[in-house]
Amino acid sequence: MNDTRIRLIRLGFTMLFAVVALRLFWIQVVQAPGLRAKAQAQSRMRQLLSAPRGAIVDCDGAVLAADGVSGREWPSGPVALPILGMVGRDGSGLMGLEYAFDKDLRSVPGWKVARRTARGGAWPSFEGEGSGPRQGLTVVTTLRLGLQSEVEKILAEAVKDHDAKGGVALVMEAATGDVVAAASLPAPASRADMARGRVDAGLVHRTYEPGSTFKAITLASALENQQITLDSRFNVGLSFDPGDGSQHIRDSHPHPGVFSALWCFQQSSNVCFSQIALRLGQERLYRTARDLGFGTPSGLGLPGEEAGLLRTVDNWTARSLPTLAIGQEVSVTPMQLASAYAALANKGVLMRPRLVKALVDEHGDTVERMDPRPVRQAVSGKTASQVLRAMAMVVDSGTGSLATVPGVRILGKTGTSQKVNVATNKYFQDRFMASFVGIIDLDRRPVVCLVVLDDPTRAGHTGGLAAAPAFARIARFAVDDPTGPWGAGAVDSRGTLQTWLSRGRKQMTDSVPLAIEKAGSEAPG
């Protein structure tokens, strides 16, 4: 009996040990991977690592928009806000360059694994595996902060002085198509204004009838197609009958007589240019206008760009040819008009306007470069040279004398167009768009500047009286700008922007002075 009991006890202990062994095997072998993973999950934690959205800077590295303590900030103040646009609460771009380059500006978050403390926080000294975050790319624009600020100031003062409803001013380099400054009013002054949708980059979003500034396109077409020369003579009467029984075309300041095409352009004669249009014909004028970029978006890259209005010839009436020749029955954006004049200053070559010239990573290395891009040879170099000669006469002794800048060769054209009453589809007799578009001849690197004032009602409503003086102020500042020459910020080689990145993105300047071509005495006025 005792032996039986002992055997049963031994068997019980053996079974117990077997169960314990099996349990240990199950835990240590079968369940080990899962238990280890569970232990790691309880003692380690995965952390997301954020990185800032890329900055938007001017051509020399001055920061225009960047992430800050309270979100997206503008270290240089509310400069160029209609162009920069805004960022939503989720960090995505909503308008302007912030929207157009959102995928490049966006950062890529990283992650790391840290050991968890008893209280559930991250152990500060523990660094586990992970992937570092990637900061968004920096968008390098063609804008020049100093000139941009001055253009905004001058435009605001011109709008105020002439009690206008608003206006647009832009400056671009003819040879590259670089937009170096662009302002529009009314404009947002704060984040709250932008959130309410008050963002309108007037250079591509507003259209208007260009009036007499379009005569440069008519003149270029007539010269290009050898229908006239600058010396061709025209009998300029008191009015021109378009032949459809409608109202006659007249000059603001009638001066009957026989005059050259050059004089007609200099004095901006509607009667004369109506006659030039008849010699030219519909197809030729339409083709030149299209070649110079009218009727199609300029390709600047800002979202929502307007194409303007240039109807095909089959939609013209008998009156369309002479009225188009003087800048009616056609609508343009300021960008389109400035680009066309830039083509004339660039030996007839139309350039695609450029607002962004590079994308740069956080180390200052160029990831992508947007080179200047020719679109087409719109008119011959000879034709462009002849139009420039006529434009010089406008400033020397014509309607644009107030655009004069002493010591600098200025070429340009005035424009005064009647606004259209959308309710009646007829022209207002007392509401106008006043404009001046000119070329600043800076050491063989011509710069185009356009100023447009919407409905000026005080101290003159014409392009020569309201817009030309503002142009002259902008041109004078551009000539004296100490950060020249144009496009001084080089972003084409490795590490060129590392300096401002490592120094808090401070603005770099180039003190090379601009060479100024001397000119003779300008006509007073």
Side-chain angles (χ1 to χ4, degrees), residues 162-248:
H162 294 278
D163 197 18
K165 287 184 170 58
V168 176
L170 69 92
V171 184
M172 69 183 299
E173 185 179 358
T176 61
D178 286 359
V179 177
V180 294
S184 57
L185 289 174
S190 66
R191 183 179 281 105
D193 282 350
M194 297 181 75
R196 286 191 288 267
R198 291 183 55 190
V199 179
D200 174 11
L203 68 164
V204 295
H205 295 152
R206 301 180 195 176
T207 60
Y208 68 103
E209 287 196 349
S212 293
T213 55
F214 201 79
K215 288 174 182 170
I217 283 73
T218 304
L219 181 62
S221 185
L223 293 170
E224 181 78 359
N225 290 283
Q226 301 179 357
Q227 298 304 299
I228 66 166
T229 69
L230 291 180
D231 296 325
S232 295
R233 310 290 286 182
F234 293 89
N235 187 1
V236 181
L238 294 176
S239 65
F240 175 84
D241 183 0
D244 63 344
S246 61
Q247 185 177 359
H248 287 201

Side-chain angles (χ1 to χ4, degrees), residues 38-72:
K38 186 176 182 179
Q40 287 180 349
Q42 292 175 342
S43 63
R44 293 154 66 92
M45 60 189 299
R46 183 185 178 98
Q47 290 183 310
L48 288 178
L49 306 175
S50 62
R53 182 178 174 87
I56 303 177
V57 304
D58 85 339
C59 67
D60 290 326
V63 181
L64 303 175
D67 279 1
V69 177
S70 59
R72 203 63 169 168

Side-chain angles (χ1 to χ4, degrees), residues 48-54 67 72 105-110 132-136 362:
L48 288 178
L49 306 175
S50 62
R53 182 178 174 87
D67 279 1
R72 203 63 169 168
L105 289 163
R106 278 180 176 269
S107 61
V108 177
R134 192 195 74 194
Q135 181 176 318
E362 58 188 298

